[in-house]
């Protein structure tokens, strides 16, 4: 279930983006017309096929500029759109609509691109029990919204930050000396009710993680046959323990990975490999000044 970030978190981010773009004022709009506060109407149109995400956030951008602005979504979050389809209708001052246009469109195009590619990955798992999970490979400053977009596309969120869970990865294991030592040290000071996930690359590491009572075991960059053996080993000892697969997951491989029996597949691809969905805003002709 997707959840829009609360305004107390969202507003400062959006305000900073608006300040970056507006600077000391919209020289073009304010210089062309004597009455930039004239009320006009506009439409947002899709120029490519994809999955829409970010319209409620775009609406908030315009409302921060003027609470008199109306932004009505024609399509729902997560709905498919096609080229030429109107996805939103706007009503407000010329100054507000043109001043907020770029920031709002940039955000919606970026988030819609993420949700579009996420949907392609999620569709590969539609008839399977395995769930698609995102990662911390996000654009600095945009994690909150990029992870929202993956939810819209059909994924679930992994941890948002380092404080969300304990994840013992390869470099932690090297630094600690072993999975056993890493888990023992962390358990002494981790707060309840955090869980421990361990990244493994070999069957020997899987056995060690099992013996030390890890809550989640990640199978990282494992060949399919080794992954099947790891799942069988884990299920044989603890059928309630969660298993995550990760590492170079593509649209061509994700289904085969899921069929090994893992509970989750985590991939950064929907965020790191997505392209923006092309959207545009057009003033209606009757608004000519």
């Amino acid at each position: 279930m997707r959840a829009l970030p609360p305004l107390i978190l969202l507003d400062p981010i959006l305000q900073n983006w608006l300040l970056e773009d507006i600077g000391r004022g919209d020289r073009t709009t304010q210089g062309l017309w004597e009455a930039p506060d004239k009320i006009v109407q506009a439409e947002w149109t899709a120029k490519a096929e994809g999955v829409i995400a970010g319209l409620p956030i775009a609406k908030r951008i315009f409302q921060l500029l003027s609470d008199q602005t109306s932004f009505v979504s024609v399509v729902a979050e997560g709905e498919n759109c096609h080229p030429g389809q109107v996805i939103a209708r706007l009503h407000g001052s010329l100054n507000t609509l043109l001043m907020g246009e770029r920031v709002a469109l940039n955000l919606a195009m970026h988030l819609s691109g993420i949700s579009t590619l996420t949907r392609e990955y999620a569709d590969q798992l539609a008839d399977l029990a395995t769930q698609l999970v995102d990662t911390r490979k996000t654009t600095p400053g945009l994690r909150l919204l990029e992870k929202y977009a993956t939810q819209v596309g059909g994924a679930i969120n992994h941890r948002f930050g380092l404080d969300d869970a304990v994840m013992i990865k390869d470099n932690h294991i090297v630094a600690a000396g072993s999975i056993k030592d890493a888990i023992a040290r962390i358990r002494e000071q981790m707060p309840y009710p955090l869980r421990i996930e361990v990244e493994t690359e070999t069957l020997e590491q899987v056995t060690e993680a099992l013996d030390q009572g890890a809550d989640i075991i990640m199978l990282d960059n494992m060949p399919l046959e080794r992954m099947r053996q790891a799942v069988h080993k884990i299920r044989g000892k603890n059928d309630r323990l969660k298993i995550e697969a990760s590492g170079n997951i593509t649209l061509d491989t994700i289904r085969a990975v899921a069929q090994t029996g893992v509970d989750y597949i985590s991939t950064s691809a929907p965020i790191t490999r997505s392209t923006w969905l092309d959207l545009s805003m057009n003033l209606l002709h009757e608004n000519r000044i």
Side-chain angles (χ1 to χ4, degrees):
M1 179 179 178
R2 58 180 178 266
L4 198 65
L7 294 183
I8 194 171
L9 295 177
L10 193 58
D11 282 358
I13 300 172
L14 303 182
Q15 288 166 344
N16 283 335
W17 292 341
L18 286 168
L19 288 171
E20 175 189 56
D21 197 43
I22 294 169
R24 288 172 290 178
D26 183 354
R27 305 292 193 189
T28 311
T29 303
Q30 293 172 340
L32 272 177
W33 297 284
E34 294 181 359
D37 289 331
K38 175 183 172 65
I39 301 301
V40 297
Q41 297 181 65
E43 291 179 339
W44 273 23
T45 304
K47 300 173 71 176
E49 185 174 349
V51 177
I52 292 296
L55 294 187
I57 306 171
K59 176 180 180 178
R60 185 61 182 168
I61 289 172
F62 287 108
Q63 289 180 334
L64 287 172
L65 292 171
S66 171
D67 59 9
Q68 301 301 308
T69 306
S70 170
F71 183 106
V72 178
S73 299
V74 178
V75 300
E77 292 285 274
E79 187 176 334
N80 287 298
C81 66
H82 55 78
Q85 181 177 356
V86 174
I87 62 171
R89 293 190 172 93
L90 295 80
H91 178 89
S93 73
L94 178 68
N95 191 45
T96 297
L97 296 194
L98 295 185
M99 191 179 296
E101 174 186 10
R102 190 72 273 144
V103 174
L105 279 174
N106 285 354
L107 179 65
M109 288 194 292
H110 179 49
L111 298 188
S112 295
I114 291 172
S115 64
T116 298
L117 187 53
T118 302
R119 181 68 53 80
E120 292 184 45
Y121 275 80
D123 283 347
Q124 295 294 317
L125 308 177
D127 60 334
L128 302 174
T130 307
Q131 293 181 286
L132 179 67
V133 180
D134 58 25
T135 75
R136 284 172 48 246
K137 289 183 181 179
T138 57
T139 309
L142 285 177
R143 180 171 297 170
L144 188 69
L145 299 180
E146 289 179 339
K147 280 179 168 284
Y148 165 76
T150 65
Q151 287 187 65
V152 173
I156 60 175
N157 293 148
H158 210 299
R159 58 180 182 163
F160 272 76
L162 295 173
D163 57 347
D164 271 351
V166 171
M167 181 180 288
I168 300 173
K169 298 173 71 69
D170 53 354
N171 285 327
H172 299 119
I173 296 168
V174 170
S178 68
I179 291 174
K180 177 181 178 180
D181 289 339
I183 290 179
R185 292 182 186 185
I186 290 170
R187 274 216 176 102
E188 291 178 355
Q189 52 188 311
M190 64 181 282
Y192 175 84
L194 291 189
R195 295 188 295 174
I196 295 177
E197 178 170 2
V198 179
E199 178 185 279
T200 63
E201 297 178 350
T202 67
L203 294 178
E204 291 73 21
Q205 287 184 325
V206 169
T207 298
E208 188 177 2
L210 276 169
D211 290 344
Q212 299 308 312
D215 301 299
I216 306 167
I217 294 180
M218 177 194 289
L219 311 179
D220 187 50
N221 283 300
M222 284 190 181
L224 287 176
E225 182 53 36
R226 186 186 303 168
M227 191 175 294
R228 280 189 283 267
Q229 293 173 11
V231 171
H232 180 74
K233 177 185 288 285
I234 295 167
R235 297 287 188 233
K237 184 164 185 178
N238 184 349
D239 60 2
R240 294 186 178 182
L241 192 149
K242 297 298 183 183
I243 307 171
E244 175 183 339
S246 188
N248 296 312
I249 305 295
T250 69
L251 285 171
D252 293 331
T253 63
I254 188 170
R255 188 169 178 84
V257 171
Q259 289 171 334
T260 65
V262 297
D263 299 292
Y264 305 104
I265 294 178
S266 58
T267 173
S268 64
I271 293 176
T272 60
R273 300 179 190 175
S274 61
T275 57
W276 290 19
L277 182 68
D278 199 2
L279 309 173
S280 66
M281 186 180 87
N282 298 291
L283 293 179
L284 300 185
H285 290 298
E286 56 266 28
N287 294 316
R288 184 171 296 174
I289 300 175

